[in-house]
Structure formats: structure tokens, C-alpha cells
Amino acid sequence: MSSETSRALVLERFGTLPGPVERPVPEPRPGHTLVRMRAAQVAHLDLNVVDGEFGILPDLPVVPGTSGCGVVLASDTHAEGSLVRINGKGAGMRRDGCWADHALVPDAATAAAPEGTDPALACTFFSPLGTALAAVHAVAAVRPGERVMVTGAAGAVGALTVQVAARAGAEVVGVVGRPAKLGHVPAPGKPVLAAELSEESAGGPVDVLIDTVGGPVLRQALRLVRRRGRAALVGYTAGRDFGVDLADFLLADVALLPVSLMTRGREVAADAERLLADLTSGELTLPIERYGLDQLAVAVERLRTGEAVGKVAIDLS
Ligand SMILES: NC(=O)c1ccc[n+]([C@@H]2O[C@H](COP(=O)([O-])OP(=O)(O)OC[C@H]3O[C@@H](n4cnc5c(N)ncnc54)[C@H](OP(=O)(O)O)[C@@H]3O)[C@@H](O)[C@H]2O)c1
């Protein structure tokens, strides 16, 4: 057994935050890759697992963290010293995940990351970029010249949706909840405060709504979609209930379309991987807030309150 120790955040009870534990570095095993973690994502999905409010839950204790990036220490499938992403195969859900200095995961949960990529970017970009691509292209089928409204436009998915829609030739209105976030709507999106949302502030009705926020913001934004327009629904940070008055729904004649990266992932994967280069060069932007392993509580609070701008990651370098 290795005498080296490794820090890990261990969840003992759902509804509490995982705490730091020193434990031995996991022993390499056939079919598994041992990774010295460099960065791990803190995402809404991870918080759902930590809260015990997700369809797939681990036996406890467990190390959460469904996505991360680091350097290979031992593997049958990757060269030692190469950079890999970790995601899937139950990592951080059914088995120990990425909120630790070291992770031992099934080979199938790893994928090579381009050398030189920022590890925090490598482990955070896919979900928001893939979701943005799915929403704009696969689901809403945005056409050049259309007017597209994006809610949560300074959030991770929202900010990339603004940029992907603009690249598709759309005129984009980006809605944010807090005045402090107006400056974080990526250009050329026109920033609008949700509290001031009206046909006038939005510059008229829109052809497409891409909503990453849900709750009352969705209800408000839907009124600004033209008849026979489309609304692609991505997230529900502001509330998961959405009552429909059928008479109003039929009169509005707006198609409500669900966006699910779970079912669309394969469709958008190649484009998302290709666009990682644009994120690295800065042609596309995804802000990332970084916190140390001992600052998990701050990271979680920033994400839960919606104050975080872009993605949140634990820096393990
Ligand atoms: N459908 C899919 O396949 C899929 C894939 C990825 C993510 N998602 C979901 O999409 C949503 C957005 O993800 P994200 O990564 O972009 O999240 P994010 O970066 O945290 O952005 C969410 C935005 O929601 C707004 N918000 C409004 N009310 C809020 C509240 N009560 N608490 C927190 N935020 C609030 C915040 O913007 P303001 O401050 O401007 O209000 C925040 O920027 C999440 O619900 C996520 O689970 C869905």
C-alpha cells in the first residue's frame, strides 16, 4: 500500500457539506486510471447529489465531484503524465469522484484532454457548451437574422448560449437577474435586467427564447416570444414548477421544447470538442471562479445563491 497520503472531501451525510479527510493514495487497479487531480468542477448536479436530491445516489461515505481533470499517474489506456478529463461511469455519483487530490476511476470515465489546456476549463466546458449547442442548433434551430432571448445570460450555459446564438447569425438579448451581472453578458448580446424586462427593453418580440433559469423569469420572458415562436427550456435554478393555463398556452402559440444534454450529448459532442480550441484562445469565453479545496463552502454558496459568474471549480494544483 502507498504510504503517501491524499486529501479528499468526503460526504458522510446527505444535506451536509463534505469535509476534508487525509487518506492513502488509492492503489492502482487493472481497468482503472489513477489521476493526480488538477481541477474539479462544482456544479448544480454535484449539489443535487450532496443534498441527496438526485435519481442516482451513492452509498456513503463518498467523494463527490462528477467532473474533473488531472495528470495520469497509472493507467492501461493513457500515457503516464498525460492530461485527462474524468466524467461519467458513476464518478461522483455511484463511486468516489473528483473532489480530491487523487481519483481512481474506470478507464471508460476518462478521456484525453489536449495538452496545455487549462484543467479547470477542460473539466467545466463540455456541459455548458454542449447544452448551448443543443439549445441553439438541435432544439431551437435558430436561423440567421432571428431575435433570440437568453435568460441567465451571465451564467455558464447562458453566456455560451449568447455566443453560440450570435455565431448562428441571431440578434441576441441577454437577460440577467442582478445588476452586477449586466456587464457579464458576452458581446454582442444586448444586456437587459429581468426586473425591467418588457417588449420595449427587449427591443420588441423575439423569435426564440432559450431559458436557463425557469421559475418566474420563464413566465415573464415567455410573454415576449412572438406567436408561433419557440421556447427552449434548459434549467430551473429559479424554480422547477411551471403551471400552464391551457387557454393562454393555445392563444400564445409558442412551442415549448425541452433541452436535455443527456439525450443530445452525442449529437453535439464533436462540435463541443472542436470549440474547446476557441475557448482556450479566448474567441469564446467561459468565466471560471476558482477555489481551494478548503474553500468548498464558499464555492457552494456562490453557486447556490446564483452569485457566481460562469463555472465554479476547485483548484487542486
Ligand atoms: N437541460 C440540460 O441538459 C442542462 C445541462 C446543463 C445545465 N442545465 C441546467 O441549466 C441551469 C443553468 O446552469 P448553469 O451552469 O448556467 O448555472 P449558473 O452558471 O449557476 O447560472 C444560473 C443562473 O441562474 C440565475 N438564477 C436566477 N435565480 C436563481 C436562484 N434562485 N439561484 C441561483 N441562480 C439563479 C443566475 O443568474 P442571475 O443572477 O442573472 O439571475 C445564474 O447566473 C441549471 O439549472 C442547470 O442544472 C441543464
Side-chain angles (χ1 to χ4, degrees), residues 44 131 155-157 176-178 181 212 234 236-238 259 261 304 306:
H44 293 285
T131 307
V157 177
V176 294
R178 292 150 233 251
K181 292 215 181 144
T212 74
V234 174
Y236 43 82
T237 28
V259 179
L261 189 61
R304 280 200 203 280

Side-chain angles (χ1 to χ4, degrees), residues 254-289:
V254 171
L256 297 183
L257 306 165
V259 179
S260 170
L261 189 61
M262 296 254 185
T263 62
R264 301 275 182 180
R266 283 188 188 188
E267 227 170 298
V268 298
D271 282 339
E273 298 290 345
R274 189 173 47 77
L275 290 174
L276 174 58
D278 287 4
L279 282 166
T280 298
S281 71
E283 278 173 65
L284 287 175
T285 56
L286 174 63
I288 302 173
E289 296 192 0

